[in-house]
Amino acid sequence: MKDGFIKVAACTPEIQVADVDFNVDKTISQLEKCREEGVKVAVFPELCITGYTCQDLFFQNALLDKAMEGVVKIAKTTADSDMLVAVGVPVRANGKLYNCAAVIQDGEVRAFVPKTHLPNYNEFYEARHFAPYRGECAAIDLREYGQLEFIPPMEQTVFVCEEIPELVVGFELCEDLWVADPVSNYLAKAGATLICNLSASDEVIGKDSYRRQLVSNQSARLVAGYIYCSAGDGESTQDMVFSGHNIIAENGSILAESRLFENGITISEIDFKKLAFERRKISTYPASAEWDYSSKDSGFLDKDNISRERFSLEMGETALTRKFAKTPFIPSNQAERNERCHIILQMQSHGLMKRIAHTHSKTVVIGISGGLDSTLALLVCVMAMDLLKRPHTDIVAVTMPCFGTTKRTRSNAEILCDALGVTFREVDISKAVLQHFEDIGHDFNDHSVVFENGQARERTKVLMNIANQVSGMVVGTGDLSELALGWATYNGDHMSMYGVNASIPKTLVRHIVQYYGDTCTSDTLRDVLYDILDTPVSPELLPTDESGTEMTQKTEDLVGPYELHDFFLYYGIRWGFEPSKVKRLAKYAFEGDYPDEVIDKWLKTFYRRFFSQQFKRSCLPDGAKIGSVTLSPRGDWRMPSDAVAKLWLEDIDK
């Protein structure tokens, strides 16, 4: 449970209709496997103790008594386990029969949670046998069935973990999710961060896709974990067939899913600290202590009918089985990735189009280096001009070679501009920079930050003055990863009149350029884009070798691999994870790619630079938010420029 991870399971055992002993044995067998895997919350299907398809056998006391004996037997097998378990069982109370989740822990049945919404349409006839829950409560005396020390209530309940306050578990049953106003809405408002659904959803064509979307959307809407556990093999096939479709979701993401028609156990880990962070961040998310449960919309689900019970879990480190992408900003599926790149290009170009139109700019001016960032920015400029139905010649692309410019990047810049039909200008800044060094008394052989920044600021001055000259606006090229690291010269490449890449991480920039190259119709354009993709990332501010072909400065050698920094940015900043947790996930995701000490080194670099370079982000040019992470001081990220990183750096080593 370290770092907020809790291992959970959706379990679909083989059953036999009305054979309680068989069903109980199969349930206990799966519980033993869950225990071996370190599962802390295990959910079984609706009415799994008897079978969902018993029909009028539910009127038989023999079946109902045996079901209660079975539940108590299952509970006793958990006496030496802290696992919270829910199984489906019919329960007699208040002179009626209820479809319930029996919640079990530490050798006892802790509560019976009744089903609220009973389907009585198409193939479903639950109202024939069961009563819907309408807020009534009852005490279920299990003494005659073998549970002597505790009389569990039947009522709507959430279970609060003593050791991990972020873990609050609520239960709904099948149709409770499918209605217009699901029970889980009220459970989440009462503080539940994990919704467990005991279901018996029969399979018809297309229903699995709808079910998956329903679970995903509900977990996202509630910012919650969601375990959906459905009945499978063994239910009666007289009129229906059940597939055992189990789904584990977290805030809209499907973490694990069973294959249809395969009974078994589906396991994953849900991050409850992550969910708690997101709920705190979303100001419109209701605070459970302040929510008015008695409003007219909540009906019988008021504050008096959602009780809170406490339960305890033994603390320990949860072994991770879920996947953490090395590149969290990039979809792993190629079709989805291509669609993402297409949409991003549309967002960037429409944002720039609006700014050009608003400022009545006759041109846009962009510094073009032959590198990835300026290439993407130039492609966005071209798309914006196409949207405005203006010629590409209204784009003034300026290459400004100096001491570190290689023949390859200089050539690629010119080929790219020619292929796109933009106005191309070359301004060699070497003489101007040398004059500046002479003016301020800087030795050319001193390749310190003055040497590098003097070139970067000269380039920005050239771009700004050309923009004045051609009644244009300067388009910035810096990306999100560079902004996070402060890898930009203050008032140099840090500054522009509109930054189109400001919300695009470096790892994603590469894929967008790749997508553009893959889909363009010009062989020349495609070839030069591919060569740019093969060129190492470099600011080219230190002199090249004598031939002018070899770079002597590569960014990732200096600040670290961008795939690591984007990983740190996503989990450390977007999700607010502690640095020690970010380190744990990085070592898990990049196992075999980087030694542990390398990850430690660059993680410390990330936090040191992220804190020390905030002053550059505090005065960023305008630029549209594209993804879930942005560092704009007017948008998602507001941080004092003089905050210190001590706490975060100490956490890495703890």
Side-chain angles (χ1 to χ4, degrees), residues 325-326 328 563-572 582 585-586 589-590:
K326 298 177 185 178
E563 64 176 350
L564 283 180
H565 286 306
D566 283 357
F567 188 93
F568 303 154
L569 174 65
Y570 182 77
Y571 288 107
V582 175
L585 296 186
F590 290 97

Side-chain angles (χ1 to χ4, degrees), residues 108 209 227 236 261 268 271 285 308 330 335 394 505 544 586:
E108 291 183 332
S209 177
I227 308 173
S236 172
F261 303 104
S268 191
D271 186 347
Y285 201 93
R308 296 172 72 86
I330 303 165
D394 285 353
T544 65

Side-chain angles (χ1 to χ4, degrees), residues 178-222:
W178 297 69
V179 296
D181 191 14
V183 170
S184 47
N185 289 355
Y186 299 96
L187 297 174
K189 292 169 186 175
T193 55
L194 175 62
I195 307 298
C196 302
N197 188 309
L198 292 74
S199 178
S201 179
D202 65 324
E203 204 59 56
V204 294
I205 294 298
K207 193 174 183 180
D208 62 322
S209 177
Y210 182 82
R211 188 187 296 119
R212 184 183 305 110
Q213 293 175 15
L214 191 65
V215 171
S216 172
N217 290 341
Q218 187 68 348
S219 72
R221 185 178 297 109
L222 301 182

Side-chain angles (χ1 to χ4, degrees), residues 224-262:
Y226 202 106
I227 308 173
Y228 187 94
C229 183
S230 191
D233 185 37
E235 290 287 358
S236 172
T237 58
Q238 181 177 10
D239 292 297
M240 295 181 285
V241 63
F242 296 83
S243 66
H245 191 190
N246 294 339
I247 304 167
I248 299 175
E250 176 191 273
N251 194 23
S253 298
I254 303 296
L255 301 181
E257 182 177 8
S258 66
R259 297 183 62 178
L260 298 185
F261 303 104
E262 290 187 5

Side-chain angles (χ1 to χ4, degrees), residues 128-159:
R128 178 181 175 90
H129 310 106
F130 299 101
Y133 177 64
R134 290 293 180 265
E136 61 272 33
C137 298
I140 309 300
D141 193 343
L142 296 179
R143 285 176 291 184
E144 64 179 294
Y145 304 110
Q147 178 165 309
L148 302 179
E149 297 183 4
F150 181 78
I151 297 178
M154 187 202 74
E155 60 186 347
Q156 187 54 263
T157 307
V158 294
F159 289 80

Side-chain angles (χ1 to χ4, degrees), residues 257-277:
E257 182 177 8
S258 66
R259 297 183 62 178
L260 298 185
F261 303 104
E262 290 187 5
N263 287 8
I265 303 174
T266 303
I267 293 176
S268 191
E269 301 82 39
I270 295 176
D271 186 347
F272 289 94
K273 286 192 174 182
K274 177 181 178 183
L275 295 172
F277 169 84

Side-chain angles (χ1 to χ4, degrees), residues 52-71:
Y52 177 78
T53 48
C54 285
Q55 299 186 54
D56 285 358
L57 293 177
F58 284 125
F59 293 130
Q60 297 289 312
N61 283 329
L63 180 67
L64 301 179
D65 287 337
K66 190 66 174 178
M68 282 301 184
E69 290 178 12
V71 170

Side-chain angles (χ1 to χ4, degrees), residues 395-412:
I395 301 168
V396 180
V398 186
T399 184
M400 294 164 282
C402 199
F403 316 125
T405 305
T406 61
K407 294 178 181 178
R408 180 182 187 180
T409 54
R410 166 63 181 80
S411 174
N412 280 342

